[in-house]
PDB file of all heavy atoms in Angstrom:
ATOM      1  N   GLU A  19      10.962  21.449  -1.639  1.00  0.00           N
ATOM      2  CA  GLU A  19      11.508  20.166  -1.192  1.00  0.00           C
ATOM      3  C   GLU A  19      10.517  19.507  -0.245  1.00  0.00           C
ATOM      4  O   GLU A  19       9.889  20.172   0.560  1.00  0.00           O
ATOM      5  CB  GLU A  19      12.849  20.360  -0.491  1.00  0.00           C
ATOM      6  CG  GLU A  19      13.509  19.056  -0.073  1.00  0.00           C
ATOM      7  CD  GLU A  19      14.913  19.277   0.465  1.00  0.00           C
ATOM      8  OE1 GLU A  19      15.403  20.417   0.385  1.00  0.00           O
ATOM      9  OE2 GLU A  19      15.491  18.312   0.961  1.00  0.00           O
ATOM     10  N   ILE A  20      10.355  18.226  -0.383  1.00  0.00           N
ATOM     11  CA  ILE A  20       9.437  17.476   0.473  1.00  0.00           C
ATOM     12  C   ILE A  20      10.249  16.571   1.381  1.00  0.00           C
ATOM     13  O   ILE A  20      11.139  15.858   0.927  1.00  0.00           O
ATOM     14  CB  ILE A  20       8.456  16.640  -0.362  1.00  0.00           C
ATOM     15  CG1 ILE A  20       7.515  17.555  -1.153  1.00  0.00           C
ATOM     16  CG2 ILE A  20       7.629  15.733   0.530  1.00  0.00           C
ATOM     17  CD1 ILE A  20       6.520  16.808  -1.979  1.00  0.00           C
ATOM     18  N   ALA A  21       9.961  16.607   2.677  1.00  0.00           N
ATOM     19  CA  ALA A  21      10.608  15.676   3.603  1.00  0.00           C
ATOM     20  C   ALA A  21       9.900  14.337   3.489  1.00  0.00           C
ATOM     21  O   ALA A  21       8.699  14.244   3.661  1.00  0.00           O
ATOM     22  CB  ALA A  21      10.516  16.212   5.030  1.00  0.00           C
ATOM     23  N   ASN A  22      10.645  13.324   3.159  1.00  0.00           N
ATOM     24  CA  ASN A  22      10.058  11.994   2.963  1.00  0.00           C
ATOM     25  C   ASN A  22       9.707  11.392   4.309  1.00  0.00           C
ATOM     26  O   ASN A  22      10.581  11.128   5.122  1.00  0.00           O
ATOM     27  CB  ASN A  22      11.061  11.107   2.225  1.00  0.00           C
ATOM     28  CG  ASN A  22      10.387  10.189   1.241  1.00  0.00           C
ATOM     29  OD1 ASN A  22       9.241   9.804   1.453  1.00  0.00           O
ATOM     30  ND2 ASN A  22      11.084   9.847   0.180  1.00  0.00           N
ATOM     31  N   ASP A  23       8.434  11.204   4.537  1.00  0.00           N
ATOM     32  CA  ASP A  23       7.932  10.720   5.822  1.00  0.00           C
ATOM     33  C   ASP A  23       7.838   9.199   5.784  1.00  0.00           C
ATOM     34  O   ASP A  23       7.044   8.646   5.029  1.00  0.00           O
ATOM     35  CB  ASP A  23       6.564  11.345   6.087  1.00  0.00           C
ATOM     36  CG  ASP A  23       6.000  10.922   7.427  1.00  0.00           C
ATOM     37  OD1 ASP A  23       6.741  10.301   8.206  1.00  0.00           O
ATOM     38  OD2 ASP A  23       4.823  11.204   7.685  1.00  0.00           O
ATOM     39  N   GLN A  24       8.619   8.533   6.617  1.00  0.00           N
ATOM     40  CA  GLN A  24       8.642   7.071   6.635  1.00  0.00           C
ATOM     41  C   GLN A  24       7.662   6.486   7.640  1.00  0.00           C
ATOM     42  O   GLN A  24       7.678   5.276   7.875  1.00  0.00           O
ATOM     43  CB  GLN A  24      10.061   6.584   6.961  1.00  0.00           C
ATOM     44  CG  GLN A  24      11.095   6.920   5.897  1.00  0.00           C
ATOM     45  CD  GLN A  24      10.817   6.219   4.576  1.00  0.00           C
ATOM     46  OE1 GLN A  24      10.476   5.042   4.551  1.00  0.00           O
ATOM     47  NE2 GLN A  24      10.953   6.954   3.483  1.00  0.00           N
ATOM     48  N   SER A  25       6.821   7.306   8.237  1.00  0.00           N
ATOM     49  CA  SER A  25       5.838   6.764   9.179  1.00  0.00           C
ATOM     50  C   SER A  25       4.806   5.928   8.431  1.00  0.00           C
ATOM     51  O   SER A  25       4.597   6.079   7.228  1.00  0.00           O
ATOM     52  CB  SER A  25       5.160   7.892   9.950  1.00  0.00           C
ATOM     53  OG  SER A  25       4.426   8.722   9.073  1.00  0.00           O
ATOM     54  N   ILE A  26       4.141   5.065   9.164  1.00  0.00           N
ATOM     55  CA  ILE A  26       3.224   4.099   8.553  1.00  0.00           C
ATOM     56  C   ILE A  26       1.852   4.745   8.362  1.00  0.00           C
ATOM     57  O   ILE A  26       1.302   5.361   9.277  1.00  0.00           O
ATOM     58  CB  ILE A  26       3.126   2.835   9.426  1.00  0.00           C
ATOM     59  CG1 ILE A  26       4.480   2.121   9.437  1.00  0.00           C
ATOM     60  CG2 ILE A  26       2.041   1.898   8.926  1.00  0.00           C
ATOM     61  CD1 ILE A  26       4.527   0.918  10.336  1.00  0.00           C
ATOM     62  N   ALA A  27       1.312   4.606   7.155  1.00  0.00           N
ATOM     63  CA  ALA A  27      -0.029   5.099   6.847  1.00  0.00           C
ATOM     64  C   ALA A  27      -1.072   4.016   7.063  1.00  0.00           C
ATOM     65  O   ALA A  27      -2.164   4.289   7.562  1.00  0.00           O
ATOM     66  CB  ALA A  27      -0.087   5.611   5.408  1.00  0.00           C
ATOM     67  N   MET A  28      -0.754   2.783   6.692  1.00  0.00           N
ATOM     68  CA  MET A  28      -1.698   1.681   6.845  1.00  0.00           C
ATOM     69  C   MET A  28      -0.948   0.366   6.751  1.00  0.00           C
ATOM     70  O   MET A  28       0.194   0.306   6.292  1.00  0.00           O
ATOM     71  CB  MET A  28      -2.803   1.755   5.776  1.00  0.00           C
ATOM     72  CG  MET A  28      -2.305   1.596   4.358  1.00  0.00           C
ATOM     73  SD  MET A  28      -3.619   1.807   3.123  1.00  0.00           S
ATOM     74  CE  MET A  28      -3.633   3.579   2.954  1.00  0.00           C
ATOM     75  N   ARG A  29      -1.608  -0.695   7.196  1.00  0.00           N
ATOM     76  CA  ARG A  29      -1.088  -2.054   7.090  1.00  0.00           C
ATOM     77  C   ARG A  29      -2.156  -2.924   6.447  1.00  0.00           C
ATOM     78  O   ARG A  29      -3.335  -2.817   6.791  1.00  0.00           O
ATOM     79  CB  ARG A  29      -0.705  -2.613   8.466  1.00  0.00           C
ATOM     80  CG  ARG A  29       0.489  -1.936   9.126  1.00  0.00           C
ATOM     81  CD  ARG A  29       0.743  -2.557  10.494  1.00  0.00           C
ATOM     82  NE  ARG A  29       1.965  -2.087  11.116  1.00  0.00           N
ATOM     83  CZ  ARG A  29       2.041  -1.030  11.917  1.00  0.00           C
ATOM     84  NH1 ARG A  29       0.951  -0.331  12.173  1.00  0.00           N
ATOM     85  NH2 ARG A  29       3.191  -0.669  12.458  1.00  0.00           N
ATOM     86  N   LEU A  30      -1.725  -3.778   5.537  1.00  0.00           N
ATOM     87  CA  LEU A  30      -2.667  -4.628   4.806  1.00  0.00           C
ATOM     88  C   LEU A  30      -2.292  -6.087   5.014  1.00  0.00           C
ATOM     89  O   LEU A  30      -1.123  -6.463   4.858  1.00  0.00           O
ATOM     90  CB  LEU A  30      -2.670  -4.272   3.326  1.00  0.00           C
ATOM     91  CG  LEU A  30      -3.666  -5.016   2.441  1.00  0.00           C
ATOM     92  CD1 LEU A  30      -4.207  -4.078   1.348  1.00  0.00           C
ATOM     93  CD2 LEU A  30      -3.044  -6.241   1.775  1.00  0.00           C
ATOM     94  N   ARG A  31      -3.276  -6.891   5.365  1.00  0.00           N
ATOM     95  CA  ARG A  31      -3.092  -8.333   5.499  1.00  0.00           C
ATOM     96  C   ARG A  31      -3.990  -9.030   4.483  1.00  0.00           C
ATOM     97  O   ARG A  31      -5.205  -8.807   4.468  1.00  0.00           O
ATOM     98  CB  ARG A  31      -3.419  -8.789   6.920  1.00  0.00           C
ATOM     99  CG  ARG A  31      -3.200 -10.283   7.152  1.00  0.00           C
ATOM    100  CD  ARG A  31      -3.142 -10.573   8.648  1.00  0.00           C
ATOM    101  NE  ARG A  31      -4.404 -10.278   9.299  1.00  0.00           N
ATOM    102  CZ  ARG A  31      -5.341 -11.192   9.572  1.00  0.00           C
ATOM    103  NH1 ARG A  31      -5.147 -12.458   9.206  1.00  0.00           N
ATOM    104  NH2 ARG A  31      -6.455 -10.860  10.188  1.00  0.00           N
ATOM    105  N   VAL A  32      -3.392  -9.843   3.638  1.00  0.00           N
ATOM    106  CA  VAL A  32      -4.136 -10.540   2.591  1.00  0.00           C
ATOM    107  C   VAL A  32      -4.867 -11.722   3.218  1.00  0.00           C
ATOM    108  O   VAL A  32      -4.255 -12.575   3.865  1.00  0.00           O
ATOM    109  CB  VAL A  32      -3.197 -11.001   1.462  1.00  0.00           C
ATOM    110  CG1 VAL A  32      -3.966 -11.821   0.431  1.00  0.00           C
ATOM    111  CG2 VAL A  32      -2.539  -9.802   0.798  1.00  0.00           C
ATOM    112  N   LEU A  33      -6.165 -11.764   3.029  1.00  0.00           N
ATOM    113  CA  LEU A  33      -6.986 -12.859   3.534  1.00  0.00           C
ATOM    114  C   LEU A  33      -7.289 -13.891   2.454  1.00  0.00           C
ATOM    115  O   LEU A  33      -7.460 -15.076   2.762  1.00  0.00           O
ATOM    116  CB  LEU A  33      -8.300 -12.314   4.105  1.00  0.00           C
ATOM    117  CG  LEU A  33      -8.170 -11.266   5.203  1.00  0.00           C
ATOM    118  CD1 LEU A  33      -9.544 -10.764   5.616  1.00  0.00           C
ATOM    119  CD2 LEU A  33      -7.427 -11.828   6.409  1.00  0.00           C
ATOM    120  N   GLU A  34      -7.373 -13.431   1.216  1.00  0.00           N
ATOM    121  CA  GLU A  34      -7.715 -14.331   0.115  1.00  0.00           C
ATOM    122  C   GLU A  34      -7.200 -13.716  -1.177  1.00  0.00           C
ATOM    123  O   GLU A  34      -7.444 -12.542  -1.453  1.00  0.00           O
ATOM    124  CB  GLU A  34      -9.236 -14.528   0.037  1.00  0.00           C
ATOM    125  CG  GLU A  34      -9.703 -15.389  -1.113  1.00  0.00           C
ATOM    126  CD  GLU A  34     -11.212 -15.421  -1.220  1.00  0.00           C
ATOM    127  OE1 GLU A  34     -11.886 -15.337  -0.164  1.00  0.00           O
ATOM    128  OE2 GLU A  34     -11.717 -15.507  -2.351  1.00  0.00           O
ATOM    129  N   GLY A  35      -6.469 -14.492  -1.971  1.00  0.00           N
ATOM    130  CA  GLY A  35      -5.941 -13.992  -3.224  1.00  0.00           C
ATOM    131  C   GLY A  35      -4.428 -13.888  -3.198  1.00  0.00           C
ATOM    132  O   GLY A  35      -3.764 -14.203  -2.202  1.00  0.00           O
ATOM    133  N   GLN A  36      -3.864 -13.412  -4.292  1.00  0.00           N
ATOM    134  CA  GLN A  36      -2.418 -13.314  -4.472  1.00  0.00           C
ATOM    135  C   GLN A  36      -1.964 -11.883  -4.228  1.00  0.00           C
ATOM    136  O   GLN A  36      -2.515 -10.940  -4.787  1.00  0.00           O
ATOM    137  CB  GLN A  36      -2.034 -13.750  -5.896  1.00  0.00           C
ATOM    138  CG  GLN A  36      -0.537 -13.854  -6.134  1.00  0.00           C
ATOM    139  CD  GLN A  36       0.110 -14.981  -5.337  1.00  0.00           C
ATOM    140  OE1 GLN A  36      -0.530 -16.001  -5.090  1.00  0.00           O
ATOM    141  NE2 GLN A  36       1.355 -14.802  -4.944  1.00  0.00           N
ATOM    142  N   ALA A  37      -0.941 -11.731  -3.396  1.00  0.00           N
ATOM    143  CA  ALA A  37      -0.429 -10.402  -3.077  1.00  0.00           C
ATOM    144  C   ALA A  37       0.580  -9.962  -4.127  1.00  0.00           C
ATOM    145  O   ALA A  37       1.577 -10.655  -4.374  1.00  0.00           O
ATOM    146  CB  ALA A  37       0.223 -10.407  -1.693  1.00  0.00           C
ATOM    147  N   ASP A  38       0.339  -8.812  -4.755  1.00  0.00           N
ATOM    148  CA  ASP A  38       1.263  -8.221  -5.716  1.00  0.00           C
ATOM    149  C   ASP A  38       1.235  -6.705  -5.507  1.00  0.00           C
ATOM    150  O   ASP A  38       0.431  -6.001  -6.114  1.00  0.00           O
ATOM    151  CB  ASP A  38       0.860  -8.566  -7.153  1.00  0.00           C
ATOM    152  CG  ASP A  38       1.901  -8.099  -8.159  1.00  0.00           C
ATOM    153  OD1 ASP A  38       2.888  -7.463  -7.744  1.00  0.00           O
ATOM    154  OD2 ASP A  38       1.718  -8.366  -9.367  1.00  0.00           O
ATOM    155  N   PRO A  39       2.104  -6.188  -4.631  1.00  0.00           N
ATOM    156  CA  PRO A  39       2.052  -4.756  -4.310  1.00  0.00           C
ATOM    157  C   PRO A  39       2.226  -3.843  -5.516  1.00  0.00           C
ATOM    158  O   PRO A  39       1.840  -2.670  -5.450  1.00  0.00           O
ATOM    159  CB  PRO A  39       3.200  -4.590  -3.300  1.00  0.00           C
ATOM    160  CG  PRO A  39       3.392  -5.939  -2.704  1.00  0.00           C
ATOM    161  CD  PRO A  39       3.098  -6.900  -3.815  1.00  0.00           C
ATOM    162  N   ARG A  40       2.815  -4.332  -6.606  1.00  0.00           N
ATOM    163  CA  ARG A  40       2.964  -3.477  -7.789  1.00  0.00           C
ATOM    164  C   ARG A  40       1.616  -3.045  -8.341  1.00  0.00           C
ATOM    165  O   ARG A  40       1.502  -1.993  -8.972  1.00  0.00           O
ATOM    166  CB  ARG A  40       3.747  -4.225  -8.871  1.00  0.00           C
ATOM    167  CG  ARG A  40       5.189  -4.566  -8.485  1.00  0.00           C
ATOM    168  CD  ARG A  40       5.823  -5.419  -9.545  1.00  0.00           C
ATOM    169  NE  ARG A  40       5.095  -6.689  -9.710  1.00  0.00           N
ATOM    170  CZ  ARG A  40       5.397  -7.588 -10.636  1.00  0.00           C
ATOM    171  NH1 ARG A  40       6.391  -7.368 -11.477  1.00  0.00           N
ATOM    172  NH2 ARG A  40       4.695  -8.708 -10.714  1.00  0.00           N
ATOM    173  N   GLN A  41       0.586  -3.834  -8.104  1.00  0.00           N
ATOM    174  CA  GLN A  41      -0.747  -3.528  -8.620  1.00  0.00           C
ATOM    175  C   GLN A  41      -1.593  -2.734  -7.639  1.00  0.00           C
ATOM    176  O   GLN A  41      -2.715  -2.350  -7.974  1.00  0.00           O
ATOM    177  CB  GLN A  41      -1.484  -4.829  -8.961  1.00  0.00           C
ATOM    178  CG  GLN A  41      -0.818  -5.682 -10.015  1.00  0.00           C
ATOM    179  CD  GLN A  41      -1.573  -6.988 -10.242  1.00  0.00           C
ATOM    180  OE1 GLN A  41      -2.425  -7.371  -9.437  1.00  0.00           O
ATOM    181  NE2 GLN A  41      -1.248  -7.674 -11.327  1.00  0.00           N
ATOM    182  N   TRP A  42      -1.075  -2.459  -6.470  1.00  0.00           N
ATOM    183  CA  TRP A  42      -1.900  -1.862  -5.427  1.00  0.00           C
ATOM    184  C   TRP A  42      -1.932  -0.345  -5.556  1.00  0.00           C
ATOM    185  O   TRP A  42      -0.925   0.346  -5.359  1.00  0.00           O
ATOM    186  CB  TRP A  42      -1.385  -2.246  -4.048  1.00  0.00           C
ATOM    187  CG  TRP A  42      -1.563  -3.713  -3.745  1.00  0.00           C
ATOM    188  CD1 TRP A  42      -2.229  -4.636  -4.501  1.00  0.00           C
ATOM    189  CD2 TRP A  42      -1.064  -4.416  -2.610  1.00  0.00           C
ATOM    190  NE1 TRP A  42      -2.179  -5.866  -3.912  1.00  0.00           N
ATOM    191  CE2 TRP A  42      -1.474  -5.773  -2.741  1.00  0.00           C
ATOM    192  CE3 TRP A  42      -0.324  -4.063  -1.496  1.00  0.00           C
ATOM    193  CZ2 TRP A  42      -1.151  -6.745  -1.808  1.00  0.00           C
ATOM    194  CZ3 TRP A  42       0.006  -5.019  -0.557  1.00  0.00           C
ATOM    195  CH2 TRP A  42      -0.418  -6.354  -0.717  1.00  0.00           C
ATOM    196  N   TYR A  43      -3.102   0.178  -5.867  1.00  0.00           N
ATOM    197  CA  TYR A  43      -3.371   1.614  -5.876  1.00  0.00           C
ATOM    198  C   TYR A  43      -4.517   1.866  -4.904  1.00  0.00           C
ATOM    199  O   TYR A  43      -5.630   1.366  -5.101  1.00  0.00           O
ATOM    200  CB  TYR A  43      -3.750   2.100  -7.280  1.00  0.00           C
ATOM    201  CG  TYR A  43      -2.577   2.239  -8.229  1.00  0.00           C
ATOM    202  CD1 TYR A  43      -2.055   1.127  -8.882  1.00  0.00           C
ATOM    203  CD2 TYR A  43      -1.993   3.474  -8.462  1.00  0.00           C
ATOM    204  CE1 TYR A  43      -0.979   1.245  -9.751  1.00  0.00           C
ATOM    205  CE2 TYR A  43      -0.921   3.614  -9.330  1.00  0.00           C
ATOM    206  CZ  TYR A  43      -0.422   2.494  -9.964  1.00  0.00           C
ATOM    207  OH  TYR A  43       0.650   2.621 -10.822  1.00  0.00           O
ATOM    208  N   PHE A  44      -4.232   2.628  -3.858  1.00  0.00           N
ATOM    209  CA  PHE A  44      -5.245   2.939  -2.849  1.00  0.00           C
ATOM    210  C   PHE A  44      -5.855   4.297  -3.207  1.00  0.00           C
ATOM    211  O   PHE A  44      -5.193   5.332  -3.112  1.00  0.00           O
ATOM    212  CB  PHE A  44      -4.623   2.972  -1.452  1.00  0.00           C
ATOM    213  CG  PHE A  44      -4.068   1.643  -1.019  1.00  0.00           C
ATOM    214  CD1 PHE A  44      -2.782   1.262  -1.360  1.00  0.00           C
ATOM    215  CD2 PHE A  44      -4.844   0.763  -0.285  1.00  0.00           C
ATOM    216  CE1 PHE A  44      -2.268   0.033  -0.972  1.00  0.00           C
ATOM    217  CE2 PHE A  44      -4.336  -0.465   0.111  1.00  0.00           C
ATOM    218  CZ  PHE A  44      -3.047  -0.831  -0.243  1.00  0.00           C
ATOM    219  N   ARG A  45      -7.086   4.262  -3.610  1.00  0.00           N
ATOM    220  CA  ARG A  45      -7.746   5.437  -4.180  1.00  0.00           C
ATOM    221  C   ARG A  45      -8.146   6.409  -3.080  1.00  0.00           C
ATOM    222  O   ARG A  45      -8.905   6.081  -2.169  1.00  0.00           O
ATOM    223  CB  ARG A  45      -8.971   4.999  -4.972  1.00  0.00           C
ATOM    224  CG  ARG A  45      -9.623   6.100  -5.796  1.00  0.00           C
ATOM    225  CD  ARG A  45     -10.827   5.545  -6.548  1.00  0.00           C
ATOM    226  NE  ARG A  45     -11.382   6.500  -7.490  1.00  0.00           N
ATOM    227  CZ  ARG A  45     -10.959   6.657  -8.730  1.00  0.00           C
ATOM    228  NH1 ARG A  45      -9.960   5.905  -9.199  1.00  0.00           N
ATOM    229  NH2 ARG A  45     -11.523   7.541  -9.530  1.00  0.00           N
ATOM    230  N   GLY A  46      -7.643   7.627  -3.208  1.00  0.00           N
ATOM    231  CA  GLY A  46      -7.972   8.688  -2.280  1.00  0.00           C
ATOM    232  C   GLY A  46      -8.704   9.808  -2.985  1.00  0.00           C
ATOM    233  O   GLY A  46      -9.534   9.572  -3.872  1.00  0.00           O
ATOM    234  N   PRO A  47      -8.410  11.069  -2.627  1.00  0.00           N
ATOM    235  CA  PRO A  47      -9.112  12.202  -3.246  1.00  0.00           C
ATOM    236  C   PRO A  47      -8.889  12.272  -4.756  1.00  0.00           C
ATOM    237  O   PRO A  47      -7.775  12.064  -5.250  1.00  0.00           O
ATOM    238  CB  PRO A  47      -8.498  13.420  -2.551  1.00  0.00           C
ATOM    239  CG  PRO A  47      -7.970  12.899  -1.261  1.00  0.00           C
ATOM    240  CD  PRO A  47      -7.517  11.514  -1.531  1.00  0.00           C
TER     241      PRO A  47
END
């Protein structure tokens, strides 16, 4: 079982372009 952590990992502010979080994949390991 995983405890769902609601703490904030990052914040994003759009400077230019259209915001569509459905398309947002933040590439990690």
Side-chain angles (χ1 to χ4, degrees):
E19 183 173 353
I20 294 181
N22 217 331
D23 182 9
Q24 294 296 317
S25 64
I26 294 176
M28 64 184 84
R29 292 179 173 90
L30 184 144
R31 182 163 64 97
V32 176
L33 304 177
E34 177 186 328
Q36 187 67 32
D38 187 357
R40 296 174 299 176
Q41 299 177 345
W42 292 353
Y43 283 81
F44 296 86
R45 189 180 188 86

